[in-house]
Amino acid sequence: NVVTVTGSHFTRDLKCAWSVDGGSQQIYDPMHYFNSTALLCRAPRVNATSSTAQLVTSQVDLLWNGRIATAYPLRYGYVANPKITKIIPNFAYMTYDAAEAAATTVHVEVIGTNFLNSDVLKCSFGKESIVPANYINSTRVSCDIPASYIPKAKLLRVTGDLVNYGDEGLLFEFLPFATLNAISPSTIPIKRSQRVTL
């Protein structure tokens, strides 16, 4: 994990010091010194101990000659990558009319693990569409199905931080319009219901 740390009064001889869940410090040399306001630091790996999307917190300080050189540490979080196992429905018809699409909202239910209850919880449909998601619990979210003007299968993924989308997603398919060729019978008596074949 590589993160950019920004601030002020940075020097080239600072080190990045991490404390994960209150544990002992792990100290790394910066991977890159940009300037006096930015460093590139390597964050320690954290092994998942739970199947839920529990946030593991840590803090980062900067050290100079073994002494803390920052007035206040920064907090940093680790979460398990979201994983999708099922989507309901797994398809929608492509959009014909933009006004109609804006007036009607259709949702997809996403089932999986490690969904994070976040203000920036989103679903992505391919690289083109990122839409808000509604958190239900750590294994279930719902999101609006965006308009699509071409028939295409798109990879559906979920993110709780706009950075980590997980390694896996499922394909959501936008189908072409259904085509009506004929109706039989083509007429029926007034005030009478009757089955027809399309």
Side-chain angles (χ1 to χ4, degrees), residues 22-57:
S24 59
Q25 278 189 337
Q26 299 179 48
I27 300 172
Y28 300 100
D29 288 321
M31 297 181 70
H32 184 73
Y33 173 85
F34 291 108
N35 53 44
S36 64
T37 63
L39 295 172
L40 196 65
C41 290
R42 180 166 64 92
R45 294 182 66 88
V46 171
N47 294 324
T49 57
S50 171
S51 61
T52 63
Q54 183 177 4
L55 183 67
V56 177
T57 59

Side-chain angles (χ1 to χ4, degrees), residues 120-125 129-133 143-147 156:
V120 291
L121 185 66
K122 306 283 185 186
C123 290
S124 70
F125 291 78
S129 302
I130 299 177
V131 298
C143 46
D144 296 350
I145 298 173
L156 173 58

Side-chain angles (χ1 to χ4, degrees), residues 11 64 96 168 173:
T11 59
W64 177 77
Y96 174 71
E168 302 175 26
E173 189 165 9

Side-chain angles (χ1 to χ4, degrees), residues 18-178:
W18 299 85
S19 299
V20 180
D21 260 0
S24 59
Q25 278 189 337
Q26 299 179 48
I27 300 172
Y28 300 100
D29 288 321
M31 297 181 70
H32 184 73
Y33 173 85
F34 291 108
N35 53 44
S36 64
T37 63
L39 295 172
L40 196 65
C41 290
R42 180 166 64 92
R45 294 182 66 88
V46 171
N47 294 324
T49 57
S50 171
S51 61
T52 63
Q54 183 177 4
L55 183 67
V56 177
T57 59
S58 67
Q59 69 180 36
V60 59
D61 279 300
L62 295 178
L63 298 184
W64 177 77
N65 286 337
R67 298 173 58 185
I68 293 176
T70 49
Y72 303 101
L74 290 176
R75 295 185 68 78
Y76 183 74
Y78 293 84
V79 293
N81 273 336
K83 181 179 180 181
I84 298 174
T85 55
K86 189 175 184 179
I87 48 180
I88 306 170
N90 62 357
F91 72 92
Y93 285 98
M94 59 181 280
T95 305
Y96 174 71
D97 183 278
E100 180 186 43
T104 58
T105 303
V106 183
H107 303 285
V108 59
E109 187 173 2
V110 183
I111 299 167
T113 56
N114 302 326
F115 298 144
L116 187 65
N117 189 4
S118 160
D119 292 338
V120 291
L121 185 66
K122 306 283 185 186
C123 290
S124 70
F125 291 78
K127 296 179 180 178
E128 305 89 4
S129 302
I130 299 177
V131 298
N134 178 44
Y135 179 85
I136 300 170
N137 56 46
S138 65
T139 63
R140 196 174 296 255
V141 299
S142 68
C143 46
D144 296 350
I145 298 173
S148 180
Y149 299 97
I150 56 172
K152 185 178 181 180
K154 298 182 180 182
L155 188 65
L156 173 58
R157 299 189 300 167
V158 174
T159 178
D161 60 6
L162 301 179
V163 176
N164 299 302
Y165 284 84
D167 299 327
E168 302 175 26
L170 290 180
L171 286 178
F172 185 91
E173 189 165 9
F174 290 92
L175 301 176
F177 299 123

